[in-house]
Amino acid sequence: MTEPGMTLQKWQDFVADYVCADDPIPESLWLRSKGIMIICNERGYVHGLFSYEIRADISIGSVLHVDNVKAVEIVARGHVLHCMREAMDRLLRLHGCAATYVAVDEPNLRMKSFFSDAGFVPRKIRYCAPASKP
């Protein structure tokens, strides 16, 4: 819903970078240094997701980097983002990270507002330069 140009192949290629077939125990998924967290309702419908990776930051040590934050809040406004925040907090604690960096799309003011209200402040600015077309 949030990515109308997403094809099945593009999604599978994206997920392939995060999949690890040798994770025998579901609990161990929380201990992986990168992954995709999916927020589902009791019927299994996906309402949100984010990708994450634990990276070293020269200034503060281990940092949880969160990207590709997608939330579809059809019924309970705010609930999906709160569930995502709880998952981020759990990842932060389990990996001993000093901070969480969340990248959100600039036009999404509701998401920016949610994270600001949750205590997130701008720390690093990431610029994007699209590749030149030949």
Side-chain angles (χ1 to χ4, degrees):
M1 276 175 88
T2 63
E3 295 292 327
M6 179 68 66
T7 65
L8 178 59
Q9 186 61 52
K10 191 173 179 183
W11 170 249
Q12 290 173 332
D13 292 345
F14 173 77
V15 171
D17 191 40
Y18 293 94
V19 173
C20 184
D22 61 348
D23 281 326
I25 306 169
E27 292 81 31
S28 70
L29 295 175
W30 287 92
L31 301 176
R32 296 191 62 229
S33 62
K34 68 179 183 177
I36 298 173
M37 288 291 168
I38 298 174
I39 308 301
C40 298
N41 67 9
E42 60 279 351
R43 293 183 175 172
Y45 293 112
V46 175
H47 285 263
L49 65 85
F50 65 86
S51 60
Y52 73 90
E53 185 172 359
I54 309 300
R55 297 188 210 151
D57 184 288
I58 195 167
S59 301
I60 60 174
S62 292
V63 174
L64 172 64
H65 284 263
V66 174
D67 207 346
N68 302 297
V69 179
K70 307 294 178 193
V72 179
E73 299 178 292
I74 298 169
V75 180
R77 192 159 278 305
H79 180 70
V80 174
L81 291 173
H82 285 287
C83 289
M84 287 185 185
R85 177 65 200 273
E86 289 174 1
M88 291 174 203
D89 288 345
R90 182 174 177 188
L91 288 165
L92 177 95
R93 286 189 310 274
L94 287 171
H95 290 275
C97 294
T100 300
Y101 292 166
V102 178
V104 297
D105 295 331
E106 192 63 34
N108 195 328
L109 298 177
R110 184 179 52 79
M111 202 171 296
K112 285 175 59 177
S113 176
F114 172 83
F115 285 109
S116 292
D117 292 348
F120 285 74
V121 296
R123 179 154 190 292
K124 291 186 176 186
I125 298 172
R126 189 172 292 198
Y127 295 94
C128 176
S132 301
K133 294 186 178 190

